């Protein structure tokens, strides 16, 4: 199945810009947002200054037998620091949850060849589910700084509404729902999400794949541009191993350097 | 920019230092963001096939103790894209390039190797040991006769480029395989590739990799790679060997050189730290300063054992 | 004393739980200092030969990332000592005992197995995969015909004890080996033994092990053991399999059970923590409580796959 | 080569006494005695109360990829604590050297089936070289408590005399030498080590193998009982793996459970 190879469009003869490599950074703050959900503030000027919403960083455990990088979306920046928000799901995140202020951690990034595109003015609908919400927090932070945009956030949680107050600092139009009450589609269908029909509507979504697929379909029927932030197990995060592919209309495509944000229409759902 | 004084020669090709990247863990546009590829002994590019391959379904990677299990399945954009993009870029950046060649059938390999005739590639590495494709790869590398015939045909196809055969560790006797490759005209041997492994998700009871099994690499396999290099060096005192498997610092690189390798490649470790090949090359420079006898042998294209 | 509710049956032998010790990492007088052996599914004793063996020169052990490389070379006091000491002691303590049998020649195995006829051993494990002896061991386990003949002869010698063949991972096709063993009458398969590995001292440039190479075991080999069990289970849906290799906690034990093993053995991990087999048995009890479907299959002597 | 198997003499049917397993203990004190030589005080009542001189403990690194136990001779006990003294030689000891008061470390022990036998009254000559000195410190501590013995210590160092002051707290008869000046044999030959020819002389020695061999030969010619504390790479330390053998007149014999102390006459030098 020959196909257009996304990287073929770049100039092959350009000397690449050098990126900072794996490095050790200080832990500034560790805060539990819910039972097993933790916000980690790390100090890294490069990430704080250059990360775009949808991009992620790799964190490495101190355990020398667990070598693989763990990807986490940047959830916000502040001066020389940035935050991530993670759930304790396995041994790596369990170890990260024991970090304390003053500890250090190894990181790489920011990574991700395609971030959320926030250039379009108009209405933005941020639809997040579970641990897909953190990148949307950062998108909302950036959108809040743009006078020509208006952001509505629709957040679905398993139980604890761990990110509502943080989202509200970026946009007053924050709506959320827990599993017991329904899902983000319930909210999408009960809200009037595009109050200004003359304005273009951009949807940014991140969360479980079935949720993003439903949001994509909703976007199709509402004539909205939809950008999805995809998740895949990664081997490196910087494009070298070709482990992180998802099927797209261009074939198997790397989530790390060709994503993690994709136009929802390119994903094979 | 580091100055490297401890060069090596692998099958006639001079390397600035004994450190190369391993195939599948280096991609020009990704890795060149982190270091100057001209500072390595060589870079080995991802297995390239006659036409673009889509590889295996995802997830393709799983963690294991001091290792990683991968089933990329040789996804790559094909030889034409490689010749138009990666290879010229790497040569322009001053790299010594080892082109890793993949195929499902002997004919696949021949097609690729033919297109590489008169290319600027410095060496070819024939991947006969990928555990992640159903046809080709491992099924060739585990059978001495098939391997002999393949390498013989490739030699006829491309007389110009030195080639190394990347032999699998999971055979009953690696020396038989190694001899088949060199008898057929392989100029060097790349030892070892990954070992077949898998992990299971204990919540679902299902394999983590979509392809069930994958190739285990990383520090976990270090002792296995060393033993294979040692054994083949004992059986074939004069064949150039590139040592691969689990190298994660300059000291473990040194172990391979003492085991009889002429040079080494760094795989999984580069995935966990993009600059690792460069850092290891620098640190090895210092360790070789302290070992003039070994350094002299390598510089002369000879080996410690 | 823990109560175990999740038993298993391996080739007709009931085990209190699916956890056993692995051969060479359990010695009655050493291990019984740390836990009650009657609380394990079974204990596997060190490879026993017709006469006392002195083993290899020292050093016999080297560390590797998440693993350990050993070349004991089957040092043991011989079958007569075993029958007079270890075996009666373990039986008196209430253990289910798997006697691991070693030999240089087929005749060695036959002598040992003959002496074990009518012994209180519950199962025999025929070690045809030790990488640390020059004759016997691995050279038998890697050749299907030799293995078939050996197991056939052993079956004739001892009809009474169920036996398991401990097959090596470093063969081109493990399923061929597995089939040869079961066709010849092996009641079960113990998968896997160690992989050949080595380490080198970068100060001296010499191998750390006096015997140059040894067997790699420990968490590093976990993915390889799992892949072998998965493959053999696919090829032989009904053969009892004891999964071995890199198990270091109850979750990794569970991975083997999901891969299709009936039971598991713990090797290197018991060297790093004498109580580990007991602790893992206890923790597995809880994990199986949460997995009634898997527990029911094991209790019935069936497997997950 | 059939031979008398040392373990065959035990009662095979005895139910063994249960030993404490691998456990986590607090680090009480870390003190550098020389450039790369460190004294570590650990709190473990069981070891402090039961360890005999010549016995050792296993320490485990926090690095999950370095699994093997590291053996160290007990160098002294005090109440509920005991000390070890180690040289930084590889990655494990380097990691131990970064331990600080209040940290914890995993240990097993005390281990060693044969300790120094201090039952004999009379003169004791303790001959230690390099990192073989720590077990002799503990032997001297115990001998100091025995009124019917008199201890002379002869210590050979590479350079820094890291243990002289500690040895002097146990015996005033402490003599030492550094590589630049000679070796323990130089001292042995210049001293009058057996001032009381009517008393039996017991030599306890620990250090590099060539040194111990020379001490053994010296003992032979001086009609002294000589006990050597042997070193070997170990796989477990408690007798299960049979990795730690040395050649003795009884064949390959485990250093951990049949040693580490052996009559010097049983060693094949
Ligand atoms: C681009 C991207 C952004 C992400 N952002 C966030 C975030 O902001 N907050 C958050 O809580 N989680 C996020 N995740 C998921 C997060 O990476 C995993 O939860 C985490 O890696 C689990 O690590 P562990 O060590 O606890 O699990 P383990 O199961 O011990 O991990 C074993 C291996 O599997 C990988 N792995 C396991 N689960 C996942 C998963 N769901 N996705 C990718 N790799 C996985 C690990 O990275 C590791 O390599 C993101 C994933 C991706 C791909
Ligand atoms: C019974 C006994 C008592 C000992 N007592 C002391 C003591 O009191 N003070 C002291 O400084 N040293 C002592 N040693 C030596 C000490 O165990 C090693 O220096 C230490 O294990 C090195 O660990 P590492 O991680 O720094 O070296 P690495 O080279 O990283 O270790 C790798 C592996 O090799 C083993 N190893 C390396 N060198 C030795 C060695 N010389 N002996 C045994 N195993 C080794 C390690 O235990 C480990 O398993 C003793 C050894 C034995 C056998
Ligand atoms: C993600 C990944 C992809 C790989 N792809 C290839 C390949 O295309 N061709 C090949 O010959 N080897 C391939 N390999 C094997 C490596 O080149 C190397 O032989 C192996 O990883 C062992 O080295 P390491 O332990 O340093 O990783 C791949 C390895 C990894 C981890
Ligand atoms: C020190 C040591 C000695 C061993 N001796 C034997 C043996 O005598 N017979 C045998 O069949 N396997 C022997 N083995 C292999 C183990 O039984 C087991 O198959 C292997 O170690 C893999 O399991 P692990 O990763 O849990 O250690 C030995 C392993 C070790 C580490
Ligand atoms: S994670 Fe390696 S290429 Fe994307
Ligand atoms: S170290 Fe294992 S038996 Fe001595």
């Amino acid at each position: 199945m020959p196909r257009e190879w996304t990287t073929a469009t770049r100039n092959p003869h350009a000397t690449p810009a050098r990126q900072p490599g794996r490095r050790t950074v200080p832990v500034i703050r560790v805060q539990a947002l819910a039972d097993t959900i933790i916000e980690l503030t790390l100090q890294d000027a490069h990430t704080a200054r250059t990360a775009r919403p949808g991009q992620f960083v790799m964190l490495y455990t101190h355990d020398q037998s667990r070598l693989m990088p763990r990807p986490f979306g940047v959830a916000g920046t502040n001066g020389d620091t940035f935050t991530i928000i993670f759930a304790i799901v396995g041994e790596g995140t369990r170890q990260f949850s024991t970090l304390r202020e003053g500890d250090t951690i190894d990181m790489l990034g920011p990574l991700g060849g395609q971030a959320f595109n926030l250039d379009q003015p108009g209405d933005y609908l941020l639809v997040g589910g579970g641990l897909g919400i953190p990148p949307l927090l950062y998108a909302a932070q950036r959108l809040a700084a743009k006078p020509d945009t208006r952001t509505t956030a629709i957040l679905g949680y398993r139980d604890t509404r761990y990110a509502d107050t943080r989202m509200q600092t970026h946009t007053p139009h924050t709506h959320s729902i827990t599993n017991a009450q329904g899902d983000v589609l319930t909210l999408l269908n009960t809200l009037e999400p595009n109050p200004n029909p003359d304005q273009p509507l951009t949807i940014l979504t991140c969360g479980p794949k079935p949720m993003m697929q439903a949001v994509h379909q909703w976007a199709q029927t509402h004539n909205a541009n939809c950008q999805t932030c995809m998740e895949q197990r990664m081997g490196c995060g910087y494009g070298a191993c070709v482990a992180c592919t998802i099927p797209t209309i261009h074939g198997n495509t790397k989530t790390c350097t060709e994503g993690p944000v994709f136009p929802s229409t390119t994903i094979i759902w | 920019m580091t100055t490297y004084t401890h060069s090596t020669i692998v099958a006639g090709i001079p390397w600035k230092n004994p450190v190369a990247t391993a195939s599948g863990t280096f991609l020009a546009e990704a890795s060149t963001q982190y270091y100057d590829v001209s500072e390595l002994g060589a870079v080995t590019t991802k297995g390239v096939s006659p036409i673009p391959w889509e590889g295996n379904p995802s997830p393709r990677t799983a963690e294991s103790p001091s290792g990683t299990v991968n089933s990329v399945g040789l996804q790559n954009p094909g030889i034409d894209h490689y010749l138009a993009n990666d290879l010229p870029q790497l040569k322009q950046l001053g790299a010594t390039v080892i082109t890793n060649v993949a195929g499902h059938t002997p004919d696949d390999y021949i097609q690729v190797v033919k297109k590489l005739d008169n290319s600027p590639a410095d060496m070819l590495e024939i991947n006969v040991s990928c555990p992640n494709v159903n046809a080709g790869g491992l099924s060739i590398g585990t059978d001495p006769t098939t391997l002999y015939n393949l390498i013989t045909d490739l030699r006829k196809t491309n007389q110009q480029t030195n080639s190394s055969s990347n032999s699998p560790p999971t055979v009953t006797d690696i020396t038989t395989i190694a001899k088949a490759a060199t008898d057929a005209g392989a100029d060097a041997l790349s030892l070892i590739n990954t070992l077949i492994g898998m992990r299971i998700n204990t919540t679902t009871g299902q394999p983590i990799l979509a392809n069930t099994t994958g190739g285990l690499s990383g520090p976990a396999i270090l002792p296995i790679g060393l033993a294979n290099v040692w054994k083949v060096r004992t059986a074939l005192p004069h064949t150039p060997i590139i040592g691969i498997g689990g190298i994660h610092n300059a000291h473990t690189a040194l172990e391979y050189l003492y085991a009889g390798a002429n040079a080494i490649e760094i795989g999984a470790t580069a995935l966990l730290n993009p600059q690792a090949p460069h850092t290891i090359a620098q640190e090895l420079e210092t360790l070789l300063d302290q070992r003039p006898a070994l350094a002299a042998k390598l510089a002369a294209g000879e080996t410690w054992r």
Side-chain angles (χ1 to χ4, degrees), chain A, chain B:
Chain A
M1 177 177 51
R3 62 181 174 83
E4 199 194 5
W5 191 261
T6 7
T7 64
T9 51
R10 305 203 185 152
N11 174 2
H13 299 285
T15 302
R18 212 72 80 205
Q19 294 295 322
R22 177 167 165 168
R23 55 203 183 273
T24 306
V25 303
V27 174
I28 299 300
R29 195 151 165 273
V30 188
Q31 194 182 353
L33 302 186
D35 221 15
T36 56
I37 298 182
I38 304 217
E39 185 187 64
L40 202 61
T41 307
L42 302 177
Q43 183 173 356
D44 183 64
H46 177 74
T47 305
R49 287 180 198 148
T50 67
R52 289 170 293 141
Q55 283 195 306
F56 59 95
V57 294
M58 284 297 186
L59 300 184
Y60 304 84
T61 75
H62 286 294
D63 178 345
Q64 290 303 306
S65 73
R66 291 179 199 274
L67 299 171
M68 293 192 61
R70 271 72 178 164
F72 299 96
V74 173
T77 61
N78 184 4
D80 278 1
T81 70
F82 70 96
T83 56
I84 62 150
I85 296 173
F86 68 90
I88 303 174
V89 298
E91 189 52 30
T93 48
R94 194 199 59 71
Q95 291 182 18
F96 298 148
S97 74
T98 67
L99 288 169
R100 293 293 162 258
E101 187 187 322
D103 289 346
T104 59
I105 187 168
D106 270 23
M107 68 159 286
L108 181 71
L111 300 166
Q114 298 299 328
F116 286 124
N117 183 334
L118 310 179
D119 292 342
Q120 181 77 17
D123 282 333
Y124 277 79
L125 194 55
L126 277 43
V127 188
L131 271 299
I133 295 172
L136 298 179
L137 286 173
Y138 188 33
Q141 178 188 343
R142 288 300 185 88
L143 285 169
K146 293 172 76 88
D148 54 355
T149 64
R150 177 177 178 279
T151 302
T152 304
I154 294 192
L155 309 177
Y157 298 98
R158 180 130 54 128
D159 32 53
T160 314
R161 290 171 148 87
Y162 73 85
D164 275 10
T165 55
R166 272 167 179 65
M167 187 58 93
Q168 276 149 3
T169 66
H170 304 310
T171 173
H173 310 290
T174 299
H175 311 272
S176 70
I177 194 164
T178 62
N179 268 358
Q181 302 167 310
D183 60 22
V184 291
L185 263 289
T186 320
L187 281 181
L188 269 182
N189 290 327
T190 52
L191 287 173
E192 177 47 79
N194 192 0
N196 195 341
D198 304 335
Q199 290 280 329
L201 175 62
T202 305
I203 300 181
L204 312 181
T205 184
C206 189
K209 199 174 169 196
M211 183 205 89
M212 290 196 284
Q213 179 173 7
V215 173
H216 156 71
Q217 279 153 358
W218 192 94
Q220 295 284 87
T221 57
H222 289 72
N223 200 25
N225 166 303
C226 180
Q227 306 175 27
T228 55
C229 187
M230 306 301 287
E231 186 178 290
Q232 185 54 274
R233 287 200 177 228
M234 292 183 172
C236 68
Y238 68 95
C241 73
V242 200
C244 62
T245 58
I246 52 167
T248 74
I249 55 171
H250 306 298
N252 285 339
T253 305
K254 291 190 275 187
T255 309
C256 69
T257 48
E258 313 295 327
V261 176
F262 293 87
S264 72
T265 48
T266 64
I267 303 297
I268 295 177
W269 289 105
Chain B
M1 167 134 183
T2 319
T3 311
Y4 295 92
T5 54
H6 303 301
S7 60
T8 186
I9 303 170
V10 182
I13 308 297
W15 292 28
K16 195 171 282 186
N17 58 56
V19 178
T21 63
S23 180
T25 62
F26 172 91
L27 209 65
E29 63 174 36
S31 308
T32 54
Q33 297 177 301
Y34 295 98
Y35 56 85
D36 178 352
V37 285
S38 77
E39 289 203 21
L40 294 187
V43 297
T44 310
T45 50
K46 173 83 193 159
V48 59
S49 51
I51 55 165
W53 281 2
E54 282 295 318
N56 289 326
S58 293
R60 292 176 173 183
T61 183
E63 191 174 42
S64 78
S66 294
T68 158
V69 190
N70 293 281
S71 65
V72 172
L74 291 170
Q75 175 168 351
N76 82 94
I79 182 66
D80 293 337
H81 177 277
Y82 178 78
L83 288 170
N85 294 267
D86 300 47
L87 186 55
Q89 181 191 4
L90 289 169
K91 289 310 298 179
Q92 171 164 328
L93 292 173
T96 299
V97 179
I98 306 177
T99 303
N100 185 278
V101 177
H104 290 317
T105 61
D107 191 55
D108 282 349
Y109 291 94
I110 290 172
Q111 279 187 51
V112 175
V113 168
K114 189 171 277 166
K115 288 202 174 167
L116 284 161
D117 209 8
N118 295 313
S119 84
D122 297 282
M123 285 185 80
L124 309 187
E125 186 174 67
I126 312 301
N127 177 3
V128 291
S129 47
C130 180
N132 293 319
V133 289
N134 290 327
L138 204 51
S139 62
I140 293 174
T142 53
D143 180 46
T145 314
T146 317
L147 179 60
Y148 180 90
N149 292 338
L150 174 67
I151 302 285
T152 307
D153 288 346
L154 297 182
R155 267 273 79 116
K156 287 187 209 138
T157 311
N158 181 330
Q159 314 244 330
Q160 163 249 337
T161 328
N162 280 293
S163 65
S164 173
S165 160
N166 186 353
S167 306
T170 316
V171 291
T172 303
D173 183 5
I174 187 127
T175 56
T176 318
I177 298 294
K179 278 188 182 142
T182 51
D183 287 351
D187 303 286
L189 295 167
S190 300
L191 305 171
I192 61 174
N193 205 309
T194 57
L195 288 99
I196 297 176
M198 75 179 295
R199 293 301 304 271
I200 290 177
N201 177 328
T202 54
T203 306
T204 64
Q206 292 301 312
I208 289 177
L209 299 176
N211 203 37
T212 305
T213 59
L216 171 65
S217 65
I221 70 168
L222 171 68
I224 303 173
L226 287 167
N228 277 283
V229 169
W230 181 278
K231 267 195 265 179
V232 174
R233 171 55 70 227
T234 307
L236 303 171
H238 303 299
T239 305
I241 296 177
I242 305 176
I244 319 174
I247 297 170
H248 55 285
N249 54 35
H251 274 280
T252 48
L254 208 49
E255 287 191 63
Y256 273 94
L257 299 176
Y258 280 127
N262 300 61
I264 59 101
E265 292 180 11
I266 291 161
T269 292
L271 302 181
L272 318 171
N273 179 353
Q275 289 161 319
H278 186 245
T279 312
I280 292 174
Q282 287 178 319
E283 290 171 0
L284 187 61
E285 173 76 11
T286 309
L287 294 183
L288 287 175
D289 282 346
Q290 299 156 3
R291 290 164 177 81
L294 173 61
K297 291 226 176 224
L298 295 173
E302 293 163 15
T303 58
W304 185 247
R305 292 186 58 237

